Amino acid sequence: MSTEALFQQLKHPNPHLRDEAMWQLVEQRDETTIPRLMAILDDADTNYRRAAVKALGAIGMDAVPPLVEALLHSENVTVRGSAAKALAQVALNYPEQPFPETGIAGLQTALSDPNPVVHIAAVMALGEIGTPEVVEVLIQALRTSDNPALGVSIVNALASIGDSRGVAVLQDLIQNQTTDSYVRETATSALSRLEMTNRFQRGER
């Protein structure tokens, strides 16, 4: 199938056909593939935009530099949010590969983005990466931010990573009477879920 036909198939209402086109594009990509996918990140067609996000994630590490550039410098909030989601897809598709420092630094900067679509997507991407370095980034953001919505997202990300340092920070949050009530409740339920998961993995009831 030609490249043009594959890009058109990314718009198809059938998700299986979109995925098929995505992986074929990845297999036969050339120097125009990433720029063309990047240009779709603000498309009004949600299916097309999401397919581009997934395709950039499937391409992997080569897509990280342009995604970070868009995340930090695009004036379009849809592009910034889509770029963060695509970085999450890169981490999801290539968990065995070290995530580029530029990607982590870009996502850390995006935690301060004024738009919740962007900073919450950045938290999700960092949670997907889940390295010890990322845990430190999330802990620092949690301690310095006064945005409860961001705090809730970070709490959930730290709980999903399950790193002992993150767990200790969540326990401190619960004990601290000055913690936002919504953030505290989220931390309590997140730790409870984590403990249940750990028990299940240990074969306990």
Side-chain angles (χ1 to χ4, degrees), residues 11 39-50 76 78:
K11 300 178 182 179
I40 302 168
L41 294 185
D42 66 344
D43 199 273
D45 182 333
T46 306
N47 282 339
Y48 196 29
R49 190 169 70 241
R50 287 177 179 162
N76 186 313
T78 303

Side-chain angles (χ1 to χ4, degrees), residues 53-58 84-94 125 128:
V53 164
K54 287 185 70 175
L56 287 161
K85 290 170 186 173
L87 289 167
Q89 289 289 319
V90 172
L92 183 68
N93 283 309
Y94 299 94
E128 198 64 57

Side-chain angles (χ1 to χ4, degrees), residues 16-91:
H16 299 297
L17 292 177
R18 292 200 302 271
D19 282 352
E20 184 181 286
M22 173 185 79
W23 288 111
Q24 284 193 47
L25 275 173
V26 172
E27 284 176 18
Q28 62 190 55
R29 75 184 174 100
D30 58 24
E31 69 280 357
T32 69
T33 307
I34 292 176
R36 284 192 66 177
L37 290 169
M38 292 294 300
I40 302 168
L41 294 185
D42 66 344
D43 199 273
D45 182 333
T46 306
N47 282 339
Y48 196 29
R49 190 169 70 241
R50 287 177 179 162
V53 164
K54 287 185 70 175
L56 287 161
I59 286 170
M61 302 305 163
D62 287 347
V64 170
L67 286 170
V68 171
E69 177 70 19
L71 174 65
L72 297 182
H73 301 296
S74 174
E75 294 183 2
N76 186 313
V77 66
T78 303
V79 170
R80 300 200 306 276
S82 295
K85 290 170 186 173
L87 289 167
Q89 289 289 319
V90 172

Side-chain angles (χ1 to χ4, degrees), residues 30-193:
D30 58 24
E31 69 280 357
T32 69
T33 307
I34 292 176
R36 284 192 66 177
L37 290 169
M38 292 294 300
I40 302 168
L41 294 185
D42 66 344
D43 199 273
D45 182 333
T46 306
N47 282 339
Y48 196 29
R49 190 169 70 241
R50 287 177 179 162
V53 164
K54 287 185 70 175
L56 287 161
I59 286 170
M61 302 305 163
D62 287 347
V64 170
L67 286 170
V68 171
E69 177 70 19
L71 174 65
L72 297 182
H73 301 296
S74 174
E75 294 183 2
N76 186 313
V77 66
T78 303
V79 170
R80 300 200 306 276
S82 295
K85 290 170 186 173
L87 289 167
Q89 289 289 319
V90 172
L92 183 68
N93 283 309
Y94 299 94
E96 73 290 348
Q97 294 187 27
F99 204 85
E101 291 292 324
T102 52
I104 294 172
L107 288 164
Q108 182 176 14
T109 301
L111 295 177
S112 301
D113 193 286
N115 194 292
V117 168
V118 181
H119 61 238
I120 290 173
V123 172
M124 291 171 61
L126 289 165
E128 198 64 57
I129 298 166
T131 60
E133 178 189 355
V134 161
V135 171
E136 288 298 333
V137 167
L138 291 170
I139 289 172
Q140 180 186 349
L142 186 60
R143 285 176 170 158
T144 56
S145 172
D146 57 1
N147 180 340
L150 180 64
V152 164
S153 298
I154 294 173
V155 162
N156 284 321
L158 287 172
S160 70
I161 294 169
D163 183 284
S164 59
R165 289 164 304 156
V167 170
V169 168
L170 298 190
Q171 289 168 337
D172 288 345
L173 274 183
I174 294 167
Q175 299 299 323
N176 188 340
Q177 295 304 309
T178 65
T179 302
D180 177 88
S181 60
Y182 189 35
V183 174
R184 186 191 289 115
E185 285 170 19
T186 304
T188 302
S189 59
L191 282 180
S192 176
R193 285 196 308 275

